[in-house]
């Protein structure tokens, strides 16, 4: 079912354009900034950051997909099935995360065209997979909450910038470190971002890389458990208020 939803996702021009524009824009901004600061070498990991941003941007539409299903009138049918609601909603949310992975090869291709000499190692495979898992875990928790509201598509845009900022893809500004750093420890994407960037670096150590992988997986599992609890509570409230078909 995940493959089915992913094919439908890829067939929608809006989501394709979202993935392309977010990835290409971030990469080109870093490319121009590296020359403006007279440090072209700093752009060597730009394609990784562009892939991270592109993947996460697409993943945030998971909440909007719940709202779209409500708009189509199919959300109530997805929830009231003989199987658990999570089993039917997970492929829907997972399709967003899975499709977002195309941002990495797109960013790598553009980096090669721009002669940024992207560094590719086998460590990128587990690192990108763990980042996908982290995005999926957060998307599941957000989607569980947005079952409660018919305004999910309105709120989804508010998730992109704050989580990218706290995850440390471009570093955390010193002015907000006092609260952003503690919050970043609660996000599985923070350790996953560090693992992806370490995989593209020649100075990282094996222990730090696999340590970041282990922390991200552990926090992701905690978020999956949280999303299960949130979904149960959201469905109980939605059933009581009869709000699943309310627009």
């Amino acid at each position: 079912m995940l493959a089915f939803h992913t094919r439908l996702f890829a067939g929608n021009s809006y989501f394709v354009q979202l993935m392309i524009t977010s990835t290409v824009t971030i990469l080109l901004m870093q490319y121009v900034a590296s020359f403006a600061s007279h440090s072209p070498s700093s752009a060597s990991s730009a394609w990784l950051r562009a892939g991270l941003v592109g993947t996460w941007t697409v993943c945030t539409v998971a909440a909007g997909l719940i709202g779209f299903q409500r708009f189509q009138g199919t959300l109530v049918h997805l929830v009231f099935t003989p199987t658990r609601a999570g089993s039917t909603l997970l492929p829907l949310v997972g399709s967003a995360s899975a499709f977002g992975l195309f941002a990495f090869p797109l960013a790598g291709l553009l980096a090669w065209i721009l002669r940024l000499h992207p560094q590719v190692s086998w460590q990128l495979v587990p690192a990108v997979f763990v980042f996908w898992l982290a995005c999926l875990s957060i998307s599941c928790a957000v989607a569980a909450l947005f079952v409660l509201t018919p305004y999910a598509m309105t709120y989804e845009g508010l998730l992109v910038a704050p989580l990218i900022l706290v995850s440390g893809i471009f570093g955390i500004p010193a002015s907000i470190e006092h609260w952003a750093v503690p919050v970043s420890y609660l996000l599985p994407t923070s350790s996953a971002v560090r693992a992806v960037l370490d995989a593209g670096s020649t100075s990282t150590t094996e222990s730090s890389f696999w340590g970041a992988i282990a922390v991200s997986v552990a926090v992701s599992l905690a978020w999956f458990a949280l999303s299960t609890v949130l979904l149960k509570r959201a469905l109980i409230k939605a059933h009581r208020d009869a709000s699943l078909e309310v627009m």
Side-chain angles (χ1 to χ4, degrees):
M1 187 175 289
L2 177 61
F4 170 75
H5 281 292
T6 304
R7 286 197 301 271
L8 291 180
F9 207 83
N12 191 307
S13 60
Y14 167 75
F15 300 119
V16 175
Q17 292 172 11
L18 179 65
M19 185 270 292
I20 293 175
T21 55
S22 59
T23 304
V24 172
T25 300
I26 291 297
L27 181 58
L28 292 180
M29 287 176 60
Q30 294 177 89
Y31 180 70
V32 173
S34 67
F35 283 96
S37 60
H38 304 288
S39 57
S41 60
S42 65
S44 59
S45 61
W47 75 281
L48 291 175
R49 293 188 174 90
L52 291 167
V53 173
T55 299
W56 174 242
T57 302
V58 176
C59 287
T60 58
V61 304
L65 290 177
I66 298 297
F68 186 62
Q69 294 295 323
R70 189 193 299 268
F71 172 77
Q72 289 184 316
T74 57
L75 179 60
V76 65
H77 301 293
L78 288 174
V79 171
F80 287 106
T81 59
T83 59
R84 292 182 302 174
S87 301
T88 56
L89 294 179
L90 180 59
L92 182 65
V93 177
S95 63
S97 297
F99 181 71
L101 289 173
F102 287 107
F104 280 96
L106 174 63
L109 176 62
L110 185 57
W112 179 77
I113 293 174
L114 295 175
R115 298 182 180 179
L116 296 180
H117 308 291
Q119 300 294 324
V120 180
S121 69
W122 67 268
Q123 291 177 323
L124 273 177
V125 176
V128 170
F129 174 79
V130 167
F131 180 73
W132 169 78
L133 190 69
C135 291
L136 180 59
S137 66
I138 296 179
S139 297
C140 286
V142 172
L145 287 175
F146 280 10
V147 167
L148 291 173
T149 173
Y151 306 111
M153 296 182 73
T154 304
Y155 299 143
E156 67 177 12
L158 300 176
L159 301 173
V160 180
L163 288 177
I164 287 179
L165 181 65
V166 176
S167 293
I169 294 178
F170 298 101
I172 298 179
S175 59
I176 63 171
E177 279 186 347
H178 62 283
W179 65 265
V181 172
V183 171
S184 69
Y185 294 141
L186 302 177
L187 297 176
T189 49
S190 299
S191 299
V193 165
R194 190 164 64 251
V196 171
L197 296 179
D198 285 348
S201 173
T202 57
S203 60
T204 186
T205 61
E206 290 285 333
S207 59
S208 64
F209 172 76
W210 290 111
I213 291 285
V215 170
S216 180
V217 170
V219 180
S220 295
L221 293 177
W223 274 78
F224 277 122
L226 175 64
S227 65
T228 302
V229 174
L230 291 176
L231 180 60
K232 289 181 179 179
R233 293 183 177 274
L235 289 177
I236 291 173
K237 188 177 186 303
H239 291 170
R240 185 179 63 245
D241 299 341
S243 62
L244 286 176
E245 294 183 305
V246 176
M247 289 301 301

